[in-house]
Amino acid sequence: MSRKKKLIVANWKMNPRSAAEARALFKKTKQTGSRLERVETVICPPFPYLGVFAHSGTTRVSLGSQDVFWTNAGRATGEVSPEQLADLGVSFVIVGHSERRALGETDDIVAKKLKAVLGEGLAPILCVGEKTRDEEAGYFEVLKNQIRASLSGVRRPDLRGLVIAYEPLFAIGKSARDAMRPRDIVETEIFIRKVLSDLFGAEAGHEPRVLYGGSAEPENTTAILSDGGVDGLLVGHASLDAEGFGEMLKSANALNL
Ligand code: PGA
């Protein structure tokens, strides 16, 4: 199941190298995104630049964060609270990205962050994905456990505001031909919705938006969005090239679904 308006999220990671470059990239991306009726664009810059872009989101182009802390108060050197993000006009928060999980973030921490983000009225983009694919299809079990643990304590009504980004680790940071094939993406998307239905009830599986991430580039955007069954993309390296990313946004806008 995919919705008409696509959600395309730019995850800049630890880029670009200066605020001046960030401003230029933001400006161009916002310009393109603002013109497109059938795409919702989200830009997730590194923390220091969130302040630079505070409250500069629009109805079509919004601001997202790459991470968050799990409470609004307490001694937490180096962390950023959901409340601080909301105050800057951030609407989306990436939670549990594989690069954060690789640095030690557990499912338990992810679940706490998710609840804190929902509590602040922000939309979490929960990242899940297996490291490898084995022939016995054990990766389905891995995904199921990750989803269940990450959503622990989340209530049924919260699902509506939730976004799940499916990012198979082996496809991240490569090039278009290394991305997962649309038919494998659609199979996994159906599986993710089935896990949600088993957890929260039949209808629940349809509620969150499901994105794909992992070497989404201008070359494969149309194929993934039209045949991959997903509601949008989480884009890493390709979001750093304003022109190429603009092409991706336009391709998403042009889909006749
Ligand atoms: P990529 O990254 O598009 O560079 O593969 C995606 C991600 O890590 O979110």
Side-chain angles (χ1 to χ4, degrees):
M1 191 205 58
S2 73
R3 295 168 178 80
K4 284 225 164 64
K5 201 161 176 166
K6 295 297 178 194
L7 179 65
I8 311 289
V9 183
N11 174 15
W12 287 1
K13 307 194 178 183
M14 200 169 66
N15 300 290
R17 296 170 77 172
S18 70
E21 284 174 73
R23 270 195 206 94
L25 180 58
F26 188 86
K27 189 173 168 211
K28 284 190 198 149
T29 303
K30 187 175 162 183
Q31 254 165 12
T32 310
S34 303
R35 287 200 297 267
L36 307 173
E37 256 177 15
R38 284 185 294 183
V39 178
E40 202 182 334
T41 305
V42 181
I43 304 176
C44 305
F47 279 139
Y49 305 149
L50 276 178
V52 176
F53 306 131
H55 299 289
S56 50
T58 64
T59 48
R60 289 183 185 162
V61 182
S62 34
L63 205 54
S65 147
Q66 298 177 15
D67 194 18
V68 66
F69 193 56
W70 60 74
T71 62
N72 279 332
R75 290 188 282 268
T77 304
E79 298 290 346
V80 177
S81 71
E83 187 177 54
Q84 289 168 331
L85 294 176
D87 183 56
L88 292 179
V90 166
S91 322
F92 289 85
V93 182
I94 297 175
V95 177
H97 190 281
S98 59
E99 286 153 15
R100 304 251 22 115
R101 292 181 189 259
L103 290 171
E105 192 159 303
T106 60
D107 283 334
D108 187 41
I109 294 175
V110 172
K112 288 205 276 187
K113 290 185 173 184
L114 203 67
K115 277 177 281 182
V117 169
L118 288 165
E120 201 56 47
L122 304 174
I125 302 175
L126 168 67
C127 297
V128 297
E130 72 277 23
K131 285 200 179 82
T132 51
R133 288 216 148 185
D134 54 315
E135 285 187 4
E136 295 75 38
Y139 51 88
F140 278 130
E141 197 61 24
V142 171
L143 263 179
K144 183 166 91 184
N145 292 336
Q146 209 179 36
I147 295 167
R148 294 173 79 112
S150 306
L151 292 181
S152 135
V154 168
R155 296 164 316 130
R156 167 81 174 76
D158 290 329
L159 290 187
R160 195 168 283 278
L162 177 72
V163 180
I164 296 186
Y166 168 59
E167 299 205 300
L169 271 61
F170 51 87
I172 292 179
K174 300 193 174 152
S175 66
R177 65 177 179 281
D178 304 302
M180 185 172 264
R181 290 170 305 181
R183 65 169 177 274
D184 293 324
I185 297 175
V186 78
E187 187 189 52
T188 316
E189 181 257 347
I190 292 166
F191 177 76
I192 289 172
R193 296 198 186 279
K194 160 97 173 53
V195 172
L196 295 172
S197 295
D198 291 346
L199 279 175
F200 294 97
E203 293 306 310
H206 297 298
E207 287 195 355
R209 286 185 279 188
V210 177
L211 313 182
Y212 167 79
S215 298
E217 291 187 347
E219 292 77 7
N220 55 19
T221 295
T222 302
I224 294 175
L225 291 179
S226 48
D227 303 330
V230 284
D231 301 302
L233 300 170
L234 178 52
V235 186
H237 65 274
S239 68
L240 299 173
D241 167 30
E243 209 157 305
F245 188 63
E247 289 310 313
M248 295 174 80
L249 296 175
K250 286 182 215 159
S251 301
N253 193 60
L255 289 170
N256 199 4
L257 296 171

